[in-house]
């Protein structure tokens, strides 16, 4: 089971320090892996504070070139050098606000893998696509176009855009159908089994229900990962669920 905490552009040094102090007192389970994705500038700070706790750290994105004249961007190599094991790619906020495309996400994934990072590639339909029965086809195209040529360890996060930060989540049957389809598509292309996380308005209240769905291998948590109490309640529920 894998839990990803995507802090997005939130928290500061003081709140990160306090978050980690709570984590230091917490008894983690070996069976529920936790990875935190802080804002890039705090990766080193978080890494320094969390040396003695069993968490991984990841980047929220990496560029689609390994280095070069790309002001304000971060490379996969730099993330690795500062202690990251994972990188989120193709989050819908980056697709929308930074105009990232499936093609650029695929390249970022390849450079991430070359730098020995494990990519978590995000896919997800918008409300219109969901309501018009086009979600499965849309996700199939996103996966087909984003999937790197070669990979060993790759995670997909299914994050319906209409669910992110809205408090709405798909019906259990919709999550089950989508996760099954994602695994089938990837297996047919690569003969590999990948983990598929669910993301979008995950809370302490709905985590049990989400984890009870077949083929859900974990969750990607945004808003509810910012407050230690809410987040540890989610983590604790995941441990109980096993
Ligand atoms: P949310 O965000 O949990 O706040 O809906 C999830 C995400 O964007 O990854």
């Amino acid at each position: 089971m894998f839990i990803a905490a995507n802090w997005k552009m939130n928290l500061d040094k003081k709140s990160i320090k306090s978050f980690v102090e709570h984590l230091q007192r917490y008894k983690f389970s070996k069976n529920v892996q936790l990875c935190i994705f802080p804002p890039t500038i705090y990766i080193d700070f978080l890494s320094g504070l969390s040396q003695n706790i069993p968490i991984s750290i990841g980047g929220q994105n990496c560029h689609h070139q390994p280095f070069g004249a790309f002001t304000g961007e971060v490379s996969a190599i730099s993330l690795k050098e500062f202690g990251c094991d994972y990188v989120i790619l193709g989050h819908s906020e980056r697709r929308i606000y930074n105009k990232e495309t499936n093609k650029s996400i695929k390249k970022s994934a390849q450079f991430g893998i070359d730098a020995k990072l494990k990519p978590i590639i995000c896919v997800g339909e918008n409300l219109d696509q969901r309501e018009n029965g086009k979600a499965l086809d849309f996700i199939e195209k996103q996966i087909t176009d984003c999937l790197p040529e070669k990979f060993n360890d790759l995670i997909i996060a299914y994050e319906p855009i209409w669910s992110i930060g809205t408090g709405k989540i798909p019906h259990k049957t919709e999550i089950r159908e989508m996760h099954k389809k994602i695994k089938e598509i990837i297996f047919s292309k690569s003969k590999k089994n990948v983990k598929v996380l669910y993301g979008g308005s995950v809370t302490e209240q709905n985590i049990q229900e989400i984890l009870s769905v077949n083929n859900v291998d974990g969750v990607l948590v945004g808003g509810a990962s910012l407050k230690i109490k809410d987040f540890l309640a989610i983590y604790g529920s995941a441990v109980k669920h096993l």
Side-chain angles (χ1 to χ4, degrees), residues 15 66 80 85 104 130 147 153 158 176 202 232 240-241:
S15 48
K80 188 67 197 181
D85 291 319
S104 70
R130 169 56 67 186
L147 206 66
D153 223 344
Y158 169 54
R176 184 183 308 123
V202 175
L232 287 181
K240 262 193 227 144
H241 175 81

Side-chain angles (χ1 to χ4, degrees), residues 37-48:
F37 297 82
T40 312
I41 190 116
Y42 295 122
I43 286 174
D44 195 38
F45 182 64
L46 176 64
S47 168

Side-chain angles (χ1 to χ4, degrees), residues 7-44:
W7 285 352
K8 307 190 181 183
M9 201 175 72
N10 294 299
L11 303 188
D12 56 14
K13 271 192 162 179
K14 195 166 164 240
S15 48
I16 293 174
K17 199 160 170 279
S18 149
F19 199 100
V20 174
E21 278 163 9
H22 284 87
L23 293 183
Q24 267 154 349
R25 292 195 290 272
Y26 193 73
K27 263 189 105 222
F28 285 93
S29 157
K30 281 201 185 78
N31 303 319
V32 181
Q33 213 185 326
L34 167 58
C35 184
I36 298 181
F37 297 82
T40 312
I41 190 116
Y42 295 122
I43 286 174
D44 195 38

Side-chain angles (χ1 to χ4, degrees), residues 6 8 91 93 159 163-165 199-202 220-224:
N6 178 11
K8 307 190 181 183
H91 190 282
E93 286 150 15
E159 300 208 298
S163 170
I164 295 177
S201 295
V202 175
L220 204 167
V221 190

Side-chain angles (χ1 to χ4, degrees), residues 73-143:
E73 295 292 343
V74 64
S75 74
I77 298 162
S78 312
L79 291 179
K80 188 67 197 181
E81 202 170 28
F82 277 84
C84 289
D85 291 319
Y86 293 86
V87 61
I88 294 175
L89 295 172
H91 190 282
S92 61
E93 286 150 15
R94 292 209 56 95
R95 290 178 186 263
I96 295 166
Y97 304 129
N98 299 74
K99 308 276 176 285
E100 289 189 359
T101 61
N102 290 336
K103 201 170 155 202
S104 70
I105 293 159
K106 179 176 174 167
K107 279 199 202 163
S108 296
Q110 206 58 66
F111 284 119
I113 290 166
D114 292 348
K116 308 226 168 349
L117 293 170
K118 292 171 199 145
I120 300 182
I121 299 181
C122 301
V123 294
E125 79 283 358
N126 64 28
L127 191 58
D128 187 52
Q129 288 157 335
R130 169 56 67 186
E131 286 176 344
N132 289 299
K134 295 189 180 135
L136 290 167
D137 287 348
F138 181 74
I139 300 299
E140 174 154 16
K141 176 147 174 56
Q142 277 194 324
I143 301 255

Side-chain angles (χ1 to χ4, degrees), residues 115-231:
K116 308 226 168 349
L117 293 170
K118 292 171 199 145
I120 300 182
I121 299 181
C122 301
V123 294
E125 79 283 358
N126 64 28
L127 191 58
D128 187 52
Q129 288 157 335
R130 169 56 67 186
E131 286 176 344
N132 289 299
K134 295 189 180 135
L136 290 167
D137 287 348
F138 181 74
I139 300 299
E140 174 154 16
K141 176 147 174 56
Q142 277 194 324
I143 301 255
T144 305
D145 292 353
C146 289
L147 206 66
E149 306 296 337
K150 282 191 193 143
F151 62 89
N152 281 322
D153 223 344
L154 181 98
I155 297 177
I156 301 291
Y158 169 54
E159 300 208 298
I161 298 173
W162 52 272
S163 170
I164 295 177
T166 60
K168 294 186 191 134
I169 62 167
H171 193 271
K172 276 167 81 164
T173 54
E174 292 170 328
I175 300 178
R176 184 183 308 123
E177 179 184 49
M178 189 60 88
H179 281 226
K180 183 167 174 279
K181 170 102 177 168
I182 291 171
K183 290 191 178 203
E184 282 169 2
I185 298 166
I186 297 184
F187 191 80
S188 77
K189 292 184 188 303
S190 65
K191 300 286 168 280
K192 293 209 165 77
N193 292 308
V194 294
K195 281 197 182 81
V196 182
L197 313 180
Y198 170 78
S201 295
V202 175
T203 62
E204 178 190 348
Q205 283 73 35
N206 60 27
I207 179 83
Q208 286 287 346
E209 187 186 345
I210 292 167
L211 292 180
S212 72
V213 178
N214 244 355
N215 288 322
V216 172
D217 302 306
V219 285
L220 204 167
V221 190
S225 73
L226 297 174
K227 290 203 183 117
I228 187 74
K229 191 175 149 285
D230 300 351
F231 187 63

